[in-house]
Amino acid sequence: FESSGSQFEAQAQGGDSGGAVFYKRLGQWELTGIMNAILTYPNQHPAWAVFGNATTFADMSTYGPQITSIM
């Protein structure tokens, strides 16, 4: 943990697509999304997670009904 970091820091890594994203609301963990991509720097080695990378995810509140209908 870096002193300039945030208590909300997290970073996906290659192979994490499809993994769950949770949010703690009022003491209860809720499924919020599904990881789908990581945004990296040009020429960054794929096995590295670097400060400033971003994780993208599908928002379950938006896509949940479509996902449920397919399942």
Side-chain angles (χ1 to χ4, degrees):
F1 179 75
E2 298 290 330
S3 61
S4 61
S6 161
Q7 65 176 339
F8 303 110
E9 281 188 56
Q11 176 60 45
Q13 183 59 294
D16 286 345
S17 293
V21 177
F22 292 95
Y23 175 77
K24 194 171 189 180
R25 183 192 323 254
L26 302 173
Q28 286 290 111
W29 287 102
E30 297 179 8
L31 178 61
T32 305
I34 300 172
M35 288 183 270
N36 56 26
I38 54 174
L39 307 177
T40 60
Y41 293 107
N43 302 316
Q44 178 180 324
H45 190 283
W48 299 345
V50 178
F51 185 80
N53 288 163
T55 302
T56 66
F57 65 95
D59 182 347
M60 291 300 292
S61 68
T62 301
Y63 298 105
Q66 290 95 330
I67 293 168
T68 302
S69 72
I70 292 169
M71 294 171 42

